[in-house]
């Protein structure tokens, strides 16, 4: 096992050709237990420990420190502060590299190696000149080396002293700048030699050009404040400075936001106007509520006489030196709303029913829940959501919990009551549609909005369903469940029907383990009453019916002949009557 510090980096069994638990592309384990580093980077610096365990023997380990160096490249030198001034406490020259770290650093002044002493202090990447003077003006060199590379960089230092009074200018000349604009600061002074300028803001130096100017682009409000120009001259051994104040304004973010909430036990309304940010902060007010009152950024006003405010638009006027705008809010009492029923089942088959009553109201209405005239409270059976808009009914029992639940939404401007009668599992209507090849049907159904349902069983009576790989089985005489669907389902497809057979399909809604009222039974198969036996019966019955009709007519005619005078009768009719009466 190999560790970097306390982190396990590789683990394997010596001699095992199948290696696991090793970061691919980083470490390469050897069958002897050695560890080869690949693609080594600087982050591999650190202490490494190898532990070897042999079953039944004492564990042994070894530790070493790995040093990783990179090729030194792009060495640059910097000064702090920007210029050396005679008489200041110290002046520091330091280096930085784009790549690589030095194992050894040597500093030189005009070709002579420097060492720690009263005039120079060498620490880390820094060379500090203690109490610099003009004698320290010259060429400084840093030599960086490590086992694989070396780099040299030079820096010429001139110790400055003595300026006149600086002259400051701001361009363009404006009393106030807007966030996002740009400006220039310049600082000039007479001196011999010409003094250099350094600008400071809030005590921190900022980038300054060689001519003593500062460019501020896309300024922000955080850049408002006092800017100081410090001039240094090498002859006077003195430092002079002057200040200029820059003011930057910024509009608040986005648009003002208006809202209203109930306070004082829902007896009063508190109107809020929020327009954060900006410099300076925006002034906000509700002129429709008070002529003189106002605030800044986040302002609120409480009103006790609220009945006249129902449905009235309340405007917040927001003013900033750069922009003026407004927002509004309309307080309203609760209005009509339709409860929403949600049903779910836990893994232990306990049913949870959630009634959601959310009325449109401003401010948001507080909902009270009532059952059988009693106010419901959070407990083992019932839980009410934090915002009171949801009632959770746990371990719902269709036998005892089907009832009417009343939710009353109340805010300071009114109330609204809605009753929700929970119904048992039932189907309101269902339909069936058969495919063109008559081997598949689509069954659709609807349920009442307040019916408590956790799922559906699709049941069928008739021959077993078949598939291309499974032949048709025997005909079932009783209904059997062929599909189970979740409570959200409102349609399903049944395949594998025999076009020549008759099937009956129905839907059984369920609430937990309780089955509800079944849907109507849908018959699927050849048209009822048109079977071969029926058609044969109709063919045989038509001649018999005609014969009976003819006998009745003959009786009527012959009876009349006995009661009325006889008229000449065609011989054909007489023969017909004789024939009919001679029939057995």
């Amino acid at each position: 096992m190999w560790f970097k510090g306390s982190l396990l980096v590789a683990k394997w069994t010596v001699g095992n050709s199948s290696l696991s638990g090793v970061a691919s592309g980083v470490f390469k384990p050897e069958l002897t237990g050695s560890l080869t580093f690949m693609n080594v980077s600087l982050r591999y610096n650190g202490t490494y420990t190898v532990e070897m365990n042999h079953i039944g023997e004492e564990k042994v380990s070894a530790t070493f420190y790995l040093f990783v160096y990179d090729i030194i490249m792009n060495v640059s030198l910097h000064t702090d502060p920007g210029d050396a001034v005679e008489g200041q406490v110290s002046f520091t020259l330091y280096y930085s590299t784009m790549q690589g770290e030095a194992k050894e650093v040597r500093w030189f002044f005009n070709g002579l190696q420097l060492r720690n002493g009263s005039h120079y202090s060498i620490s880390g990447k820094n060379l500090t000149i203690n109490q610099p003077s003009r004698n320290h003006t010259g060429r400084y060199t840093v030599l960086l080396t490590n086992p694989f590379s070396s780099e040299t960089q030079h820096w010429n230092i001139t110790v400055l002293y003595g300026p006149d009074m600086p002259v400051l200018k701001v361009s363009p000349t404006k009393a106030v700048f807007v966030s996002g604009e740009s400006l220039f600061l310049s600082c000039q002074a007479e001196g011999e030699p010409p003094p250099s300028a350094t600008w400071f803001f809030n005590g921190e130096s900022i980038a300054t050009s060689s001519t003593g100017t500062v460019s501020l682009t896309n300024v922000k409000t955080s850049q408002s404040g006092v800017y100081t120009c410090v001039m240094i001259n090498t002859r006077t051994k003195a430092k002079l400075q002057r200040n200029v104040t820059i003011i930057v304004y910024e509009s608040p973010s986005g648009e003002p936001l208006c809202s209203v909430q109930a306070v004082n036990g829902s007896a009063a309304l508190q109107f809020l106007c929020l327009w954060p940010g900006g410099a300076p902060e925006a002034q906000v007010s509700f002129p429709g509520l008070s002529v003189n009152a106002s605030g800044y950024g986040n302002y609120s006003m409480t009103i006790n006489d609220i009945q006249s405010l129902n449905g009235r638009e309340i405007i917040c006027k927001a003013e900033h030196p750069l922009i003026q705008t407004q927002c509004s809010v309309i307080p309203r009492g609760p209005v009509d709303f339709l409860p929403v029923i949600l049903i779910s089942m836990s893994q232990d088959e306990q049913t949870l029913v959630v009634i959601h009553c959310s009325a449109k109201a401003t401010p948001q209405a507080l909902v009270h829940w009532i059952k059988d005239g009693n106010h419901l409270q959070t407990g083992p059976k019932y839980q009410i959501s934090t915002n009171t808009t949801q009632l959770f009914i746990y371990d719902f029992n269709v036998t005892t919990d089907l009832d009417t639940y009343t939710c009353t939404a109340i805010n300071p401007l009114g109330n609204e009551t809605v009753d929700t009668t929970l119904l048992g599992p039932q189907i309101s209507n269902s339909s069936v549609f058969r495919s063109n090849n008559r081997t598949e049907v689509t069954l659709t159904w609807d349920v009442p909005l307040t019916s408590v349902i956790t799922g559906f069983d699709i049941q069928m009576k008739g021959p077993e369903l078949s598939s291309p790989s499974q032949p048709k089985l025997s005909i079932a005489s009783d209904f059997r469940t062929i599909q189970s669907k979740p409570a959200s389902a409102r349609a399903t497809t049944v395949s594998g029907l025999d076009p020549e057979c008759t099937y009956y399909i129905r839907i059984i809604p369920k609430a937990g383990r309780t089955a509800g009222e079944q849907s109507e039974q849908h018959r699927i198969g050849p048209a009822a009453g048109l079977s071969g036996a029926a058609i044969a019966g109709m063919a045989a019955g038509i001649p018999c019916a005609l014969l009976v009709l003819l006998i009745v007519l003959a009786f009527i005619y012959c009876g009349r002949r006995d009661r009325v005078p006889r008229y000449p009768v065609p011989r054909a009719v007489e023969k017909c009557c004789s024939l009919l009466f001679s029939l057995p």
Side-chain angles (χ1 to χ4, degrees), residues 135 306 320 410 501 584:
N135 296 328
I306 60 176
H320 185 268
I410 302 174
C501 295

Side-chain angles (χ1 to χ4, degrees), residues 157-476:
I157 295 177
T158 300
V159 180
L160 305 177
Y161 47 97
D164 288 339
M165 179 62 66
V167 177
L168 307 183
K169 291 183 179 180
V170 180
S171 180
T173 303
K174 296 174 65 175
V176 174
F177 292 88
V178 178
S179 178
E181 293 183 338
S182 299
L183 59 99
F184 296 91
L185 304 176
S186 65
C187 178
Q188 296 179 345
E190 296 296 330
E192 186 61 38
S196 63
T198 303
W199 282 92
F200 292 84
F201 175 62
N202 290 338
E204 299 291 336
S205 62
I206 57 178
T208 306
S209 70
S210 59
T211 59
T213 62
V214 170
S215 175
L216 301 178
T217 59
N218 191 25
V219 294
K220 300 177 174 57
T221 57
S222 60
Q223 294 174 284
S224 292
V226 177
Y227 289 78
T228 302
C229 175
V230 177
M231 300 294 295
I232 303 174
N233 190 283
T234 58
R235 297 188 64 179
T236 61
K237 301 180 182 180
K239 181 189 300 182
L240 292 180
Q241 67 182 45
R242 285 194 66 185
N243 301 331
V244 62
T245 300
I246 302 298
I247 299 175
V248 181
Y249 281 171
E250 182 180 39
S251 300
S253 59
E255 295 291 332
L257 178 63
C258 290
S259 61
V260 61
Q261 63 184 16
V263 293
N264 300 337
S266 297
L269 291 178
Q270 185 181 58
F271 292 86
L272 300 97
C273 187
L274 176 64
W275 200 17
E281 285 189 301
Q283 184 179 23
V284 294
S285 62
F286 293 100
L289 300 177
S290 176
V291 177
N292 300 320
S294 64
Y296 294 91
N298 188 1
Y299 176 65
S300 63
M301 177 178 290
T302 300
I303 303 298
N304 293 312
D305 185 10
I306 60 176
Q307 294 307 316
S308 62
L309 301 179
N310 193 4
R312 173 183 163 191
E313 183 180 20
I314 305 300
I315 296 175
C316 169
K317 186 177 180 181
E319 297 178 314
H320 185 268
L322 300 179
I323 187 174
Q324 291 79 44
T325 184
Q326 66 182 34
C327 64
S328 65
V329 62
I330 301 178
R332 298 183 186 276
V335 296
D336 293 339
F337 59 95
L338 183 65
V340 177
I341 311 299
L342 302 174
I343 303 103
S344 63
M345 180 177 289
S346 63
Q347 293 183 348
D348 56 359
E349 298 188 356
Q350 289 190 352
T351 303
L352 170 64
V353 175
V354 182
I355 306 176
H356 184 78
C357 287
S358 180
K360 292 183 178 180
T362 307
Q364 181 177 343
L366 183 69
V367 179
H368 297 274
W369 296 90
I370 301 173
K371 176 188 176 185
D372 295 332
N374 299 317
H375 285 269
L376 299 180
Q377 303 292 334
T378 294
K381 182 66 176 179
Y382 304 103
Q383 285 193 11
I384 300 173
S385 62
T386 304
N387 62 3
T388 71
T389 61
Q390 296 182 87
L391 174 65
F392 296 82
I393 308 174
Y394 289 91
D395 194 14
F396 190 90
N397 189 303
V398 174
T399 304
T400 59
D401 293 332
L402 289 179
D403 208 330
T404 297
Y405 296 81
T406 301
C407 57
T408 300
I410 302 174
N411 78 356
L413 298 174
N415 61 80
E416 184 73 21
T417 298
V418 174
D419 291 334
T420 302
T421 300
L422 297 182
L423 304 175
Q426 55 187 271
I427 305 295
S428 56
N429 61 78
S430 60
S431 302
V432 66
F433 304 93
R434 195 165 190 176
S435 63
N436 293 333
N437 59 11
R438 301 171 61 193
T439 62
E440 182 177 277
V441 295
T442 298
L443 183 65
T444 63
W445 63 90
D446 291 316
V447 300
L449 292 178
T450 60
S451 181
V452 177
I453 296 175
T454 59
F456 302 93
D457 282 345
I458 310 302
Q459 296 187 344
M460 186 183 74
K461 181 170 69 173
E464 295 285 348
L465 300 178
S466 62
S467 63
S469 60
Q470 180 179 359
K472 182 177 61 178
L473 302 177
S474 60
I475 298 177

Side-chain angles (χ1 to χ4, degrees), residues 77 93 107-114 120 127 129 134-142 152-159:
L77 290 174
L93 182 65
W107 291 91
F108 298 86
F109 174 59
N110 292 336
L112 299 175
Q113 185 174 353
L114 299 176
Y120 297 99
L127 170 65
I129 304 174
R134 68 194 73 181
N135 296 328
H136 295 123
T137 298
R139 187 183 191 190
Y140 288 80
T141 302
V142 63
T152 302
Q153 189 59 267
H154 308 283
W155 188 271
N156 292 321
I157 295 177
T158 300
V159 180

